[in-house]
Amino acid sequence: MSTIALFDIDGTLIRAGGAGRRAVERALREFSGAPGDSTTLDGVDFAGRTDPWIVARGLQARGIAVDDPTIDAVLERYLALLPAELARSEAFEVLPGVVSLLDHLHGRADVTLGLGTGNVEEGAYAKLRHGGIDHYFSFGGFGCDHANRPTLLSKGRDRGLARHAIDDPIVIVVGDTPHDVTAAHAIGARCIAVCTGRHQAAALEAAGADLVVPDLLDSRVILEFTVRS
């Protein structure tokens, strides 16, 4: 039995040290013509959300009509600003256990590694590239596929099926928020939830995660893949 693993990025694989928030806030300020306003996304929790959803909330907060062309324009500017924000992010880190786990799974013929993230594709790979872990992932489902998380996870699963000709795989989503858990279950996938984001174990357990671990160093993560594959 083969497994498609779909990894979330922020809070699961890396912490960007606020680089993404700073880039999207600056893009929104520039778009609205109010560069001195730093309150664009005050109170908006990014955890488990998609980039288009976040931009839409920022536009609404400024009283700007939300439509796809406007969201796309802001995201284009965000992507232009993101590399510089990543470069100056002193708090950027690849999270504990990530490299060893990806090395292990990448070397297995029965596991196919992909992404399931609210980041738009270009932004996702910019963050992974900054952490030196982009080479593990050749496909995924992204925020630019859909603002709805189950739909983007379905895209990631389908791309894994198409690229690797896998019949009836197990799908395991690895994430750090209740949104990851509910989206995984919505597409019939299992979910490993890791407590390296903003949510504690109790919240992830309440959401119905199949396995909750403090970080990806936990030996139960590899065991989950071994048992299910």
Side-chain angles (χ1 to χ4, degrees):
M1 180 69 73
S2 294
T3 297
I4 294 175
L6 299 176
F7 281 82
D8 174 57
I9 294 178
D10 296 286
T12 301
L13 296 176
I14 60 107
R15 289 196 191 102
R21 178 179 285 269
R22 291 192 300 271
V24 76
E25 285 181 337
R26 181 175 167 188
L28 283 162
R29 289 197 300 270
E30 291 182 6
F31 184 85
S32 68
D37 181 2
S38 63
T39 61
T40 304
L41 291 168
D42 282 3
V44 176
D45 184 2
F46 284 28
R49 300 297 189 178
T50 65
D51 285 350
W53 184 94
I54 292 165
V55 169
R57 299 291 83 73
L59 291 168
Q60 288 173 347
R62 291 179 171 279
I64 299 172
V66 177
D67 55 36
D68 288 341
T70 303
I71 291 173
D72 289 345
V74 175
L75 285 172
E76 183 177 4
R77 183 58 182 151
Y78 156 76
L79 291 170
L81 295 166
L82 181 60
E85 291 295 346
L86 288 168
R88 74 182 186 92
S89 181
E90 296 181 358
F92 184 99
E93 64 174 320
V94 177
L95 289 165
V98 166
V99 173
S100 59
L101 176 63
L102 295 179
D103 274 342
H104 172 82
L105 296 178
H106 191 257
R108 285 175 49 174
D110 61 335
V111 178
T112 299
L113 292 178
L115 296 166
T117 174
N119 286 273
V120 294
E121 185 171 4
E122 184 178 339
Y125 279 103
K127 291 178 179 180
L128 296 176
R129 189 162 50 250
H130 189 73
I133 57 173
D134 55 305
H135 61 284
Y136 292 107
F137 303 100
S138 61
F139 71 92
F142 304 94
C144 47
D145 291 316
H146 206 281
N148 176 269
R149 203 166 190 96
T151 302
L152 72 84
L153 286 180
S154 294
K155 290 281 190 181
R157 176 199 60 202
D158 293 347
R159 286 174 180 140
L161 289 168
R163 283 173 178 256
H164 299 280
I166 303 168
D167 293 326
D168 193 25
I170 295 167
V171 180
I172 298 179
V173 172
V174 185
D176 68 298
T177 75
H179 295 296
D180 296 305
V181 178
T182 56
H185 291 166
I187 68 163
R190 294 179 62 78
C191 186
I192 298 171
V194 61
C195 301
T196 44
R198 296 185 179 181
H199 294 276
Q200 297 183 346
L204 299 169
E205 290 166 355
D210 299 283
L211 174 66
V212 178
V213 293
D215 56 41
L216 292 177
L217 286 169
D218 195 298
S219 61
R220 290 174 294 170
V221 176
I222 288 178
L223 181 61
E224 181 76 4
F225 282 97
T226 302
V227 169
R228 301 293 167 184
S229 297

